[in-house]
Amino acid sequence: MKWAGIAYALVFALLSAPVAAQSDPKAEIAKLKPKDFPSQPIEFTVVYPAGGGMDVSARLLAKQVESLSGDRIIVNNRTGGAGMVGHSYLATQAKPDGYTVGVIASLLWGDAMLRAQGRWAYTDLEPIAYVNSDALIWVGSTEGPYKGMSIKDIVSAAKEKPNTIRVAIVPGSMWEYILDQIEANSGAKFLRVPFQGGGAGITALLGGNVDIAQGFFSEFRGYLEGGKVAPLAVAAAGRMDFLKDMPTFNEAFGGNEYLWQLVRYAVVPKGTPSDRKAYLAAAVQGAMKDPELIAEYRKQGVFFDPKLQNSNDLAADLNAYADVERQFYVKTGRLK
Amino acid sequence: MMEALNGLLTGFGVILTPANLYLCFLGSLIGTLVGVLPGVGPLAALALLLPVTFTLSPVGGLVMLSSIFYGAMYGGSTTSILLNIPGEAASVVTCFDGHQMARQGRAGPALGIAAIGSFIAGTLGVVIMTFFAPAIAAVAIRFGPPENFALMVLGLVCTLFMISGSTIKGVLMMALGFLTAAVGLDVVNGHERYTFGSVNLSGGIELLAVVIGLFGIAEILSNVETMAKSTLLADRIRGLWPSLADWRASWRPILRGSGLGFILGLVPGGGPVTAAFMSYALEKRIAAEPDRFGKGAIEGVAGPESANNSAVAGSLIPVLSLGIPSNPVTALLLGALIIQGIQPGPLFIAQRPDLFWGIVASMYIGNVFLLILNLPLVGLWVQFLRIPYRVMFPVVLLLCVVGTYSANKNVFDLWVMLGFGVGGYVLRKLEYDLAPFVIAFVLAPLLEQSLRQSLVMSPDGVMILAKRPVAALLLAASVVLTFLMFRRRTKNEGGLP
């Protein structure tokens, strides 16, 4: 299959030739290339199983970085423990020699703060490039007793009749934390039905086994377009381009704390030589400027956080997000 | 009906081009190889080949990926039968009787019936898919936690029947299976259980490492012990093809396996692995002489190998007609579609009839390819058994190690494999049956999760299991079966089991 990759790279090079006249991203990356690096394929580590949102994002990125840098890249899924095994691997075992790049999501922070038990911290991984973001959205059924209700109606219904409305959650994650916030602020009570991921939750919603499913736009797109599920609210700062009519949780409840999103970014283990780190950062950032890759990501239904996209100090901006999460854990007694 | 036939015609129109036929063949070939190699399951293969499909047409890419998926179900039985190492998780049960058949010199008939059963089940699955896909999907999706729980209970009750030899030992092994499965993250609140602070245990114990250890490594240890004989099976190879008697014993299990597998592929949470286990349990339950199982009963190969193939067809229905993946492999297929810019969902068949029917048509052709590929291989595989074991076992050991490591790339899994290998060897010496352990280990997480989900979503506790008709029916069947088993056991053993 190697010829296919080469042919693709060639076609791509020809297509991108007019753009290259202005500023050639390949040349810029090549300028930063250290002499002795890379002498073997670079691993993009993904801590979630193949085929999920994270994996697809990483594979699309790898394809683009490969064609820009000319280096061989292998996407490797180091899975287990809902990401914990891979996160620990990146933070404690991966050699900081530039041959390991983690393409990870901000779920790293929760793992580091709540589950790593001090064995490692999320600062053991240094961000090199922002990839994309996905905000948690709630969808309801288009049939049954809660048909046509807004998010406000549903929360008041859950207050009047506590423990009747069934919400699909993934335990120990933002799926549950947002419910904590809503319940604490409104006095409503929901039934939390646990699933292993957003996909299983939507199955249960369509089958009438839960009343509300949570997940990401990319997971729900087909059902939303097919009119099988109703959009309720999004846990982001602003409304989504794809669903202009769907309010944010903050709009609906007049707060500013309902911000639960997945930030995907690339990291290298702490201690990676600075020339290699700079080269990898340039390659991944260069790939992220490619209009084709951005279009592919948009097709998946992800969005780009302007603050992180135009960041001058990515590590500091990501840490600021992580701190908001830390405050929530402290406030809710999950973290001392 | 007419609509389906027209659709199928469209599909064959799409698929009968040299390029698409080539991709279908290529996928079948890769799938067979992936199935044969332990550890490299369809999930890993699909993930590796996903980037290749970016450059293909959507139909071509999907045809290739799905043919790898069902192709792997054909190849998976090979190492199970020849070496007692499951080629992938759905072929674990094939070790039980398939390898015993090989030891009796009947590797040929075992491999043959596995290939033919796979073909019949795969084709039947596609036929049902052709005519009823949308209707079935709408029903299957209603299958919720209470129904899943009841189904798992029924599966475990059938497992009780599978225990050969001492009942106490069998029940003990089942309990051990449950306990081993409990290690890892709690499915409901995400807390760690029995992990002793180890990151490696927090993800639970990997099924593949367990089964390769219990079957592959333990087998090597037993065989090395008796290395005096030079080849694994000496010259006792009797016949390459299933005999008339084999056929008479197998056709019903093949049909039952096809039906059961299809249903289990369809429902959320099911899939080829569960399908194969349940089919084995069912065959043993209804067999006239259940004691033959585990000692080379051909029904124990025919049923499960058929079930895992029709489960593939079943599991493609929700993903293609609703965009709902029922297991990780179909989730990956969904990912492949999304990368191609196609959003599978309730409108998929209407919007992209070329794709849907193209895939369905390719499955008819792919199953024929696979039969043609696999039957001639039977003769070749059987020859492997003539290789002296002192040459063979390092290769087998290497396969075990590579297979276990490549699934998660986690060295810890190798220690798990080794531990269960030694444990499995000791248990065999003490005449403990490993089948109930593995089945309990596979079904326990599903059982626990669906029970706890049911209880959370129920306003009145366990009553939800009685109020949902399908769940109630399945549970009632379990109770009746348990009662029957007690009676039989007490009669046979002349006392309490």
Side-chain angles (χ1 to χ4, degrees):
Chain A
M1 280 304 128
K2 204 173 176 191
W3 58 270
I6 293 167
Y8 189 83
L10 266 176
V11 170
F12 186 82
L14 290 173
L15 284 176
S16 53
V19 186
Q22 295 159 4
S23 79
D24 184 357
K26 280 189 182 177
E28 303 222 338
I29 294 165
K31 250 192 288 179
L32 285 166
K33 190 171 189 130
K35 266 199 193 97
D36 54 342
F37 180 84
S39 60
Q40 65 187 62
I42 296 167
E43 174 180 313
F44 274 22
T45 308
V46 175
V47 305
Y48 302 106
M54 189 69 247
D55 181 65
V56 171
S57 280
R59 283 177 199 274
L60 289 169
L61 182 66
K63 188 175 75 167
Q64 190 58 30
V65 172
E66 225 173 28
S67 82
L68 278 183
S69 66
D71 303 330
R72 200 68 183 94
I73 292 171
I74 292 169
V75 176
N76 204 348
N77 302 82
R78 292 182 187 266
T79 54
M84 191 63 192
V85 169
H87 286 150
S88 304
Y89 166 81
L90 283 171
T92 60
Q93 281 172 276
K95 278 199 199 125
D97 56 6
Y99 291 107
T100 304
V101 174
V103 184
I104 59 166
S106 49
L107 295 171
L108 170 79
W109 306 333
D111 273 2
M113 293 177 209
L114 303 176
R115 297 169 63 197
Q117 297 165 356
R119 287 172 291 206
W120 53 271
Y122 63 87
T123 45
D124 290 337
L125 299 172
E126 297 176 338
I128 55 168
Y130 167 66
V131 179
N132 60 40
S133 303
D134 240 336
L136 194 67
I137 61 174
W138 278 29
V139 296
S141 178
T142 46
E143 45 192 80
Y146 309 107
K147 183 175 89 177
M149 281 193 174
S150 72
I151 182 70
K152 275 179 113 166
D153 299 337
I154 286 178
V155 171
S156 358
K159 195 178 173 185
E160 270 164 39
K161 284 191 181 166
N163 293 326
T164 50
I165 301 182
R166 301 161 298 177
V167 184
I169 61 154
V170 178
S173 69
M174 59 170 107
W175 282 257
E176 205 170 1
Y177 305 150
I178 190 168
L179 268 171
D180 287 353
Q181 289 179 325
I182 292 172
E183 290 183 349
N185 293 340
S186 67
K189 273 277 178 210
F190 292 92
L191 289 173
R192 303 175 181 204
V193 187
F195 288 93
Q196 309 288 310
I202 189 116
T203 310
L205 177 70
L206 292 174
N209 288 305
V210 296
D211 304 302
I212 290 166
Q214 310 181 52
F216 302 110
F217 180 70
S218 49
E219 295 172 310
F220 295 162
R221 185 172 213 164
Y223 317 106
L224 286 163
E225 282 165 2
K228 295 280 176 182
V229 300
L232 291 174
V234 57
R239 292 191 177 199
M240 298 186 78
D241 289 341
F242 303 103
L243 291 165
K244 281 282 182 208
D245 295 334
M246 178 172 67
T248 65
F249 280 99
N250 287 332
E251 278 174 54
F253 301 123
N256 57 10
E257 63 196 292
Y258 303 105
L259 292 176
W260 291 106
Q261 57 191 29
L262 212 57
V263 181
R264 300 194 178 94
Y265 59 104
V267 294
V268 291
K270 194 157 89 180
T272 301
S274 58
D275 57 336
R276 294 182 181 187
K277 185 181 161 188
Y279 170 67
L280 291 168
V284 179
Q285 285 170 9
M288 284 308 301
K289 289 201 183 79
D290 176 67
E292 258 186 62
L293 181 61
I294 291 190
E296 289 273 7
Y297 280 152
R298 283 206 184 280
K299 249 196 278 183
Q300 278 190 55
V302 299
F303 72 96
F304 298 95
D305 185 333
K307 190 176 158 202
L308 297 175
Q309 221 174 1
N310 306 316
S311 172
N312 290 320
D313 188 349
L314 186 62
D317 287 336
L318 286 169
N319 283 345
Y321 279 152
D323 273 335
V324 174
E325 208 170 300
R326 181 190 300 277
Q327 280 159 23
F328 171 79
Y329 295 141
V330 172
K331 199 175 140 195
T332 53
R334 288 183 165 85
L335 192 69
K336 297 229 165 60
Chain B
M1 215 45 139
M2 273 322 285
E3 209 180 317
L5 286 176
N6 277 335
L8 198 59
L9 229 56
T10 322
F12 276 109
V14 171
I15 204 70
L16 289 175
T17 64
N20 286 337
L21 281 178
Y22 169 67
L23 287 168
C24 184
F25 177 76
L26 195 67
S28 305
L29 187 67
I30 297 173
T32 305
L33 285 176
V34 160
V36 169
L37 293 172
V40 192
L43 187 64
L46 257 58
L48 281 174
L49 288 171
L50 196 59
V52 176
T53 61
F54 295 167
T55 50
L56 300 173
S57 70
V59 180
L62 259 293
V63 162
M64 186 167 101
L65 292 180
S66 47
S67 58
I68 294 174
F69 187 15
Y70 54 80
M73 299 302 140
Y74 277 79
S77 54
T78 311
T79 47
S80 300
I81 292 169
L82 297 178
L83 306 170
N84 206 20
I85 309 174
E88 32 89 44
S91 296
V92 171
V93 278
T94 311
C95 292
F96 302 161
D97 281 287
H99 187 62
Q100 287 308 319
M101 284 182 69
R103 292 194 148 252
Q104 294 156 13
R106 302 200 343 110
L111 289 165
I113 210 77
I116 294 165
S118 293
F119 173 74
I120 296 174
T123 307
L124 279 178
V126 194
V127 171
I128 305 176
M129 192 172 169
T130 307
F131 292 103
F132 306 108
I136 287 176
V139 178
I141 196 175
R142 297 264 154 201
F143 216 84
E147 289 80 14
N148 260 327
F149 170 72
L151 190 68
M152 295 303 142
V153 170
L154 188 62
L156 283 171
V157 168
C158 288
T159 312
L160 285 174
F161 283 95
M162 289 175 45
I163 296 168
S164 53
S166 155
T167 313
I168 303 275
K169 281 182 173 174
V171 173
L172 217 69
M173 291 308 286
M174 265 175 90
L176 207 59
F178 275 119
L179 281 176
T180 315
V183 175
L185 286 185
D186 177 309
V187 285
V188 174
N189 50 32
H191 290 313
E192 293 185 7
R193 295 189 299 205
Y194 310 114
T195 59
F196 307 103
S198 153
V199 171
N200 288 310
L201 285 175
S202 71
I205 294 175
E206 169 68 32
L207 169 69
L208 205 68
V210 171
V211 294
I212 291 188
L214 279 184
F215 297 100
I217 300 289
E219 177 75 17
I220 294 174
L221 291 175
S222 311
N223 283 335
V224 168
E225 200 180 45
T226 53
M227 267 253 268
K229 62 175 183 187
S230 59
T231 61
L232 191 56
L233 302 161
D235 310 310
R236 289 187 290 135
I237 296 170
R238 285 191 275 133
L240 272 188
W241 305 106
S243 66
L244 202 63
D246 290 335
W247 274 111
R248 231 175 267 136
S250 299
W251 71 271
R252 283 195 200 89
I254 289 178
L255 290 184
R256 277 192 293 265
S258 305
L260 184 72
F262 191 81
I263 294 169
L264 282 166
L266 206 55
V267 301
V273 185
T274 341
F277 277 102
M278 295 280 210
S279 162
Y280 188 83
L282 175 77
E283 289 311 324
K284 179 148 188 198
R285 164 69 193 96
I286 58 180
E289 301 163 68
D291 292 343
R292 283 175 42 248
F293 279 71
K295 293 170 192 151
I298 198 163
E299 300 95 306
V301 176
E305 279 301 316
S306 308
N308 65 25
N309 269 72
S310 61
V312 170
S315 69
L316 285 174
I317 289 183
V319 84
L320 293 178
S321 55
L322 294 170
I324 292 173
S326 59
N327 57 46
V329 181
T330 48
L332 207 134
L333 281 176
L334 192 72
L337 280 167
I338 293 171
I339 290 178
Q340 294 275 7
I342 296 152
Q343 182 65 55
L347 306 178
F348 180 67
I349 301 180
Q351 284 173 347
R352 295 299 303 264
D354 57 323
L355 250 179
F356 176 79
W357 292 109
I359 293 169
V360 171
S362 81
M363 289 176 70
Y364 284 96
I365 296 170
N367 274 296
V368 176
F369 278 155
L370 281 162
L371 189 69
I372 298 172
L373 263 174
N374 279 274
L375 280 184
L377 282 177
V378 169
L380 179 72
W381 293 131
V382 170
Q383 295 310 312
F384 272 90
L385 297 176
R386 295 191 192 277
I387 299 174
Y389 198 67
R390 61 172 192 281
V391 177
M392 200 64 179
F393 91 84
V395 179
V396 176
L397 189 63
L398 186 75
L399 274 180
C400 290
V401 170
V402 171
T404 305
Y405 181 73
S406 60
N408 289 334
K409 283 108 182 171
N410 192 348
V411 179
F412 180 76
D413 287 345
L414 293 177
W415 295 110
V416 173
M417 175 193 80
L418 201 63
F420 277 88
V422 175
Y425 171 74
V426 174
L427 287 169
R428 265 198 210 189
K429 287 266 156 192
L430 300 173
E431 294 184 339
Y432 280 85
D433 187 2
L434 298 176
F437 173 86
V438 180
I439 298 190
F441 183 75
V442 169
L443 297 184
L446 296 167
L447 180 87
E448 183 195 355
Q449 183 175 357
S450 52
L451 174 62
R452 294 177 71 176
Q453 282 170 336
S454 308
L455 293 179
V456 170
M457 58 191 272
S458 160
D460 44 10
V462 287
M463 286 309 290
I464 192 169
L465 298 171
K467 280 185 184 163
R468 309 250 301 209
V470 177
L473 202 73
L474 290 170
L475 284 175
S478 314
V479 172
V480 172
L481 279 177
T482 316
F483 177 72
L484 284 178
M485 189 196 68
F486 256 89
R487 265 199 15 198
R488 195 162 72 177
R489 288 263 163 186
T490 37
K491 224 193 301 181
N492 288 352
E493 295 177 12
L496 277 175

